[in-house]
Amino acid sequence: MKAIGKLAALSLTALLAVTACGGGETPVAQGPQPLRMTIWTSNEAHLKLFNEIADEYRKTHPDVGAITFDTIPFENYTTTITTQIAGGKAPDLAWILESSAPDFVGSGALAPLNSKIENAAELVPSATKLWQQDGELYAYPFSTSPFGVFVNTDLVKAAKQKSPQELIKAGQWDWEHVNDVNAAVAKDGKQGLTILDFDYKGWDNLATIWGGWGAKAYSDDGKSCQFNSPEMVEAMTFLHTSIFKDKAMPGPGTVADFFAGDSAMVIAQISRAAMLKEGTFEWDLVPLPAGPKGEYAVIGQAGIGVLKKSPNAELATDFLAFFTNPANSAKLAAYFPPARSSQLTADTMAKTNPLLKPDQLQKVVIDGIENGVVKPSHTGQAELAQTIRASLDPLWTADADVKTVLDGVCAKIQPMLGA
C-alpha cells in the first residue's frame, strides 16, 4: 500500500469526524446539481440497472444533473474514499463495506435516514443493526447477502462421493464430511474447497468457516481479542489440517477457479450465480456446513450512506430514498438480497434470480438473513485488518504452530482494541 493510502486508512475515524463537523457554509450552487456515488462493482449488468434507476429519477427531478456511479477497486475501496475525504473530494453517497460501518456510523459523518426511507419499518432488524446508532439509521442496508456453498456436483460424482443433497438428507452436511468430499476430489486431480476473495489475505472471509465452531474475532463488546480462544484455535487447526494435510483446500499460491470448473466447491454469495449462466457442469447451492456448534450463517453486507458534509446532501438523501424504495429494491434483488421483509420470500426472489431455485433461496438467503451474523467489523478496522493479516501470515506454512500464531495475533491487536 502506498504511504498516502496507509495514512488515510489509519486515520479513517478522525477524517470522518472532521467530515461530520467541519465548519463553513457551502455556497449555494446554481443549476442542476450532479451527484456521485462511490461503488466497488464494475459488473456491466449492475451498472446498467443503477443507471436505469438514476435516469428514471432524473425525469422528475430537474434540479439533479448527472448521477455518476464511480467504481473503485474493492481491494483499495475504503482507502481511496478516505483519501478523497482528506482531499476535500468526498462523494455525495458511498457504498460502505460492513468492516467500515463502525467508523462511518460512529463518527457522525453520515446523514440520518429514518424519516427518508420509504417503509423503513419493514427493514429486518438483523440487516439494520450494523447501520444504526441510538435508534437512527445512517446507511441503508443495500445488500444483505449470506454466504452459501456452490458445489460442482459433476466433480463430486466423479470422485464417487455423496452429493450435497444426499449428505443433507443423511444429516451429514457438516465440515467433517465436506472435508472428506473435497479431499477425495483433490486426489482425482482437481481442487477441493475454495473461499472466494480469501487468497490467504482476506482473513475476515474465514468467518464463514470458524463460525461453525462459535469462534469470533473480537468479544461482543469489542474490547477483547478472541483469536486465541479455544473455539478459534480448534477452528483454525481444522482449517490448517484441511489445507496442508488433507489437501482438501488449495494451498497458498494455487489458483483454482470454481466457475471455470477447477474446484469442487466455493464459499460465495448468490450474486456469483450469474457466473454460472453459461456453465458447463452441473451445480448446486447449499448452506454452509454445520460445525461442532451446529448450524450457522454468515452475512456479507453493504450499506449506502450520504456524506453529511456533501454540498448536495439533501438531494443525495432524496435520491437514496428513491434508489431503495420498494419498487427499485425489487429490481436490485436480482443481484443484491433485499432487507425488506415483504420481499424476503422465495417466490419473490426467484423472479429476479432465475438461476436459483426457490428452495435454494429459502435455505441459503432468507434463512441466512434471519439467523446469520455479519462478518467481523470494529472501529479502526482498516488498521486492525492490516495487522491481523500480517500476524496470520506465519499460519500459512505446513509446520505452523496454530496456537502460537493465534497468540501472536492477540498480542498485536489487543492494545488496539481500546480496552
Side-chain angles (χ1 to χ4, degrees), residues 128-212:
T128 57
K129 182 179 180 181
L130 194 62
W131 310 101
Q132 289 177 320
Q133 183 169 274
D134 299 329
E136 179 62 72
L137 184 69
Y138 287 97
Y140 182 89
F142 169 68
S143 178
T144 300
S145 188
F147 288 86
V149 182
F150 287 91
V151 182
N152 182 327
T153 52
D154 285 349
L155 288 183
V156 171
K157 183 178 180 180
K160 298 181 172 55
Q161 298 297 303
K162 290 182 179 178
S163 70
Q165 297 304 326
E166 289 173 325
L167 289 173
I168 290 171
K169 187 175 181 180
Q172 297 177 335
W173 184 248
D174 54 47
W175 278 114
E176 180 181 354
H177 287 88
V178 167
N179 193 65
D180 290 342
V181 171
N182 285 298
V185 171
K187 286 183 179 179
D188 269 7
K190 291 286 187 176
Q191 297 294 334
L193 174 76
T194 58
I195 306 171
L196 205 66
D197 298 325
F198 168 47
D199 193 28
Y200 294 89
K201 299 174 184 176
W203 60 267
D204 54 340
N205 290 297
L206 295 180
T208 57
I209 293 181
W210 75 49

Side-chain angles (χ1 to χ4, degrees), residues 3 8 40 55 135 194 203 240 320:
W40 64 76
D55 290 344
T194 58
W203 60 267
H240 191 271
L320 177 56

Side-chain angles (χ1 to χ4, degrees), residues 8-67:
L10 298 184
S11 56
L12 176 59
T13 305
L15 284 170
L16 290 173
V18 170
T19 301
C21 60
E25 293 187 2
T26 302
V28 177
Q30 303 296 316
Q33 296 305 298
L35 296 176
R36 181 171 69 94
M37 183 169 90
T38 53
I39 58 176
W40 64 76
T41 180
S42 58
N43 183 287
E44 291 184 5
H46 297 173
L47 294 172
K48 181 175 183 291
L49 179 55
F50 293 174
N51 283 304
E52 287 174 354
I53 294 173
D55 290 344
E56 187 67 25
Y57 178 77
R58 291 183 62 208
K59 288 179 182 178
T60 55
H61 292 78
D63 53 341
V64 176
I67 300 176

Side-chain angles (χ1 to χ4, degrees), residues 284-300:
D284 197 357
L285 172 65
V286 289
L288 296 173
K293 293 293 179 67
E295 296 180 355
Y296 66 105
V298 176
I299 298 170

